[in-house]
């Protein structure tokens, strides 16, 4: 037959964030993956690039009054209110299982004051089995009249630089999209010493039932996630990628590999799967496989070749 | 949790009770088993479901949640089932389990067309209420149950099982059930995932440690006394 069959070179999907090495760029978005164990019937969790469980705070958080979920066109509104049992219970009841996973464990955390963030970072730093931290800065600062930490560049810088001093773990700063210019906040996080930024968290939104003339969420407003936000999230990743040097982690409406590849082309070094986990629990694994096939199809030896290709 | 559409419209899965499965109605003849859902078309998702074709593959996750508490049988205590609308679907399998027990079944609906499953229970003790009076007692199933309450002995334990719309369960929660009676209610809530991951489906309880419990995983069956209505 004369034709030479080229050996198939398995593409390299690995990437690094700070000193953390990931076998592939797919993580789970905090709050949509429970504490991992809820998914063990559906998939092999070890295959994920990293697992990020539900966000934790120092003290337990009761969460918001129901209803907490409302489906909109292509998206969901949620007002869970960061319900979690607090650090102590988390360490005792959830961490042992999460630590046993053969993949990176990234802990998402948040506070209401600089002090709370600091104490959490210190205590998490002292624990075994954690690969990295993701700091959610979409929370109101109670000491500063409740303005959201991540909506003010100075506050972002102060918070990030303080936390960076308290931990030797790679620090990812998770940005809120509810700001005038997300580039400015991303730069503050970088200047503060962040190892990466992840974006986006949910968009503040609401829905009204016109028959009862009441809000659909018990908390009136909530956060929008899912396919509906993907184009906006993608644009934000694209903009942020151009102004910072640290890795960008893309989040927002990813339900399939093609969505993830768009984020990577726009500049994301890694992606997180959120709402899709709730609908199709093994989305993450399918996205990994889809990225692998894409790299093979277009003969990219390494995922690195793809990151930010749009701007090159 | 049924995926009503593969193209993310509607986005979320929809929760349904298992009306019948092989372990209650079919001996395990073949490994494939059978599962029946009894549902009512109310919106986008159920609209998609009525277009399902014979032999079409349907993606569903289940069974999920805790299920009803079943006392050791035969039960010395009478069993009372109260179902409103499609809520009766989840009680139907109890009708089978308790078929040799002393059982009383109260079924309610808006009209006679909403009365489902009445033939799943021993005929002699089925009581029906419709809001328009088109079948059985005219009024709500809770009113019908209250009107019959005197016939049950308040001093003896009874097991009560309830499933229906929130309004019905709230009305029952305002009744003063004797201490010895256990009241198990199967709740509904808007669900994000159905398997305990999102904390979107909570109900407030009297638990001092953590007030909000997940209907999908910690429930859907709760003791009526545990629940705190907001
Ligand atoms: C644990 C559990 C078990 C259930 N078992 C059954 C069952 O066996 N059979 C069955 O027919 N239904 C059952 N339901 C209700 C069923 O899940 C809803 O009817 C369904 O999700 C509606 O989807 P939809 O897309 O058609 O409606 P949507 O487009 O989501 O909503 C259309 C209308 O229906 C109303 N609606 C939505 N969800 C509910 C709900 N949970 N209860 C009442 N009204 C609702 C909405 O407020 C809206 O007015 C159960 C719900 C739960 C939580
Ligand atoms: C139910 C739910 C709970 C969430 N909880 C958290 C949380 O605790 N901490 C956090 O940083 N983000 C949280 N998020 C935001 C997601 O991690 C993610 O940033 C967002 O949903 C956008 O991604 P998606 O469109 O893929 O869902 C939550 C999202 C949802 C839908
Ligand atoms: S629906 Fe997600 S936790 Fe119950």
């Amino acid at each position: 037959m004369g034709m030479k069959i080229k050996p198939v070179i398995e593409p390299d999907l690995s990437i690094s964030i700070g000193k953390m090495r990931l076998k592939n760029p797919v993580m789970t978005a905090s709050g949509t993956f429970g504490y991992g164990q809820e998914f063990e019937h559906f998939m092999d969790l070890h295959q994920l690039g990293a697992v990020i469980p539900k966000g934790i705070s120092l003290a337990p958080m009761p969460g918001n009054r129901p209803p907490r979920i409302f489906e909109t066109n292509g998206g969901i509104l949620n007002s869970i209110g960061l319900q979690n049992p607090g650090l102590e219970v988390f360490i005792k009841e959830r961490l042992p299982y999460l630590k046993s996973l053969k993949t990176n464990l990234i802990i998402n955390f948040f506070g209401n004051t600089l002090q709370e963030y600091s104490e959490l970072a210190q205590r998490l730093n002292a624990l075994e089995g954690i690969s990295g931290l993701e700091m959610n800065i979409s929370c109101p600062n109670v000491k500063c009249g409740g303005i959201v930490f991540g909506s003010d560049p100075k506050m972002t810088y102060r918070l990030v630089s303080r936390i960076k001093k308290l931990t030797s773990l790679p620090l990812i700063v998770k940005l809120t999209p509810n700001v005038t210019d997300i580039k400015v906040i991303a730069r503050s996080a970088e200047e503060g010493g962040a190892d990466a930024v992840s974006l986006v968290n949910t968009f503040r939104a609401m829905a009204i039932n016109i028959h009862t003339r009441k809000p659909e969420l018990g908390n009136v407003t909530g956060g929008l996630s899912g396919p509906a936000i993907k184009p906006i999230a993608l644009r934000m990743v694209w903009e942020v990628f151009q102004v910072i040097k640290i890795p960008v982690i893309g989040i927002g409406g990813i339900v399939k590999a093609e969505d993830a590849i768009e984020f990577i082309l726009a500049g994301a070094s890694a992606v997180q799967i959120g709402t899709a986990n709730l609908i199709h629990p093994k989305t993450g694994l399918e996205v990994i496989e889809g990225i692998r096939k894409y790299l093979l199809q277009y003969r990219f030896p390494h995922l690195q070749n793809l990151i930010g290709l749009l701007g090159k | 949790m049924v995926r009503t559409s593969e193209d993310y419209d509607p986005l979320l899965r929809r929760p349904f009770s298992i009306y019948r499965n092989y372990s209650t109605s079919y001996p395990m003849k073949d490994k494939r088993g059978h599962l029946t859902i009894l549902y009512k078309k109310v919106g986008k998702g159920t609209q998609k479901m009525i277009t399902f074709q014979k032999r079409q593959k349907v993606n569903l996750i289940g069974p999920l949640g805790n299920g009803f508490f079943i006392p050791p049988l035969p039960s010395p205590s009478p069993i009372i089932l109260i179902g409103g609308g499609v809520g009766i679907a989840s009680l139907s399998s109890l009708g089978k389990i308790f078929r040799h027990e002393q059982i009383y079944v109260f079924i309610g609906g808006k009209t006679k067309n909403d009365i489902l499953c009445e033939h799943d229970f021993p005929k002699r003790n089925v009581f029906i209420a419709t809001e328009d009076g088109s079948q059985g007692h005219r009024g709500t199933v809770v009113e019908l149950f209250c009107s019959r309450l005197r016939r049950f002995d308040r001093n003896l334990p009874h097991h009560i099982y309830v499933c229906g719309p929130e309004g019905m369960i709230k009305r029952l929660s305002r009744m003063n059930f004797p201490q010895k009676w256990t009241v198990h209610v199967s709740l509904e809530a808007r669900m994000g995932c159905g398997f305990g991951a999102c904390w979107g489906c909570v109900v407030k309880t009297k638990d001092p440690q953590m007030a909000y419990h997940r209907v999908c995983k910690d429930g859907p069956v709760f003791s009526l006394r545990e629940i705190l209505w907001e």
Side-chain angles (χ1 to χ4, degrees), chain A residues 124-143:
Chain A
L124 288 167
N125 191 51
L127 296 173
E128 297 263 315
I130 297 176
S131 320
L133 299 178
E134 180 178 59
M135 179 161 72
N136 176 1
I137 58 168
S138 311
C139 304
N141 182 344
V142 280
K143 287 255 170 72

Side-chain angles (χ1 to χ4, degrees), chain A residues 31 34 38-39 42 62-71 73-76 80 83 216 255 277-280, chain B residues 3 8 10-14 44 59 61 190-193 195-200 202-203 210 212 214 217 230:
Chain A
E38 295 85 345
F39 286 75
F42 306 120
N64 288 327
R65 62 178 297 178
R68 290 177 172 184
I69 293 264
F70 183 71
E71 186 177 303
N73 289 332
I76 60 172
I80 311 298
Q83 176 171 355
E216 290 285 9
V255 300
N277 292 321
L278 310 178
I279 303 156
H280 186 51
Chain B
R3 187 123 179 237
Y8 297 93
L11 195 59
L12 297 171
R13 289 172 186 266
R14 297 292 191 256
K44 206 165 161 182
N59 181 321
I61 297 178
R190 284 197 206 134
M191 291 193 177
C193 63
F195 49 87
C198 72
W199 295 79
V202 296
V203 60
M210 186 184 66
Y212 289 117
R214 292 162 298 182
K217 182 131 182 171
E230 301 210 277

Side-chain angles (χ1 to χ4, degrees), chain B residues 164-217:
Chain B
E166 186 172 300
M168 177 187 129
I169 295 174
K170 277 190 177 158
R171 250 171 279 141
L172 282 171
S173 71
R174 286 193 290 267
M175 287 175 53
N176 230 338
F177 284 102
Q179 268 308 317
K180 283 190 178 156
W181 293 23
T182 56
V183 188
H184 311 275
V185 295
S186 180
L187 296 181
E188 291 197 358
R190 284 197 206 134
M191 291 193 177
C193 63
F195 49 87
C198 72
W199 295 79
C201 60
V202 296
V203 60
K204 197 166 196 173
T205 68
K206 293 175 185 158
D207 181 350
Q209 298 294 316
M210 186 184 66
Y212 289 117
H213 286 224
R214 292 162 298 182
V215 170
C216 72
K217 182 131 182 171

Side-chain angles (χ1 to χ4, degrees), chain A residues 20 22-29 33 45-52 103-106 131 271:
Chain A
M20 179 170 39
L22 290 88
K23 55 184 169 252
N24 65 62
V26 178
M27 319 175 179
T28 61
F33 204 65
L45 280 80
H46 309 299
Q47 291 181 35
L48 291 163
V51 165
I52 309 183
T103 181
N104 292 296
L105 172 62
I106 300 174
S131 320
V271 293

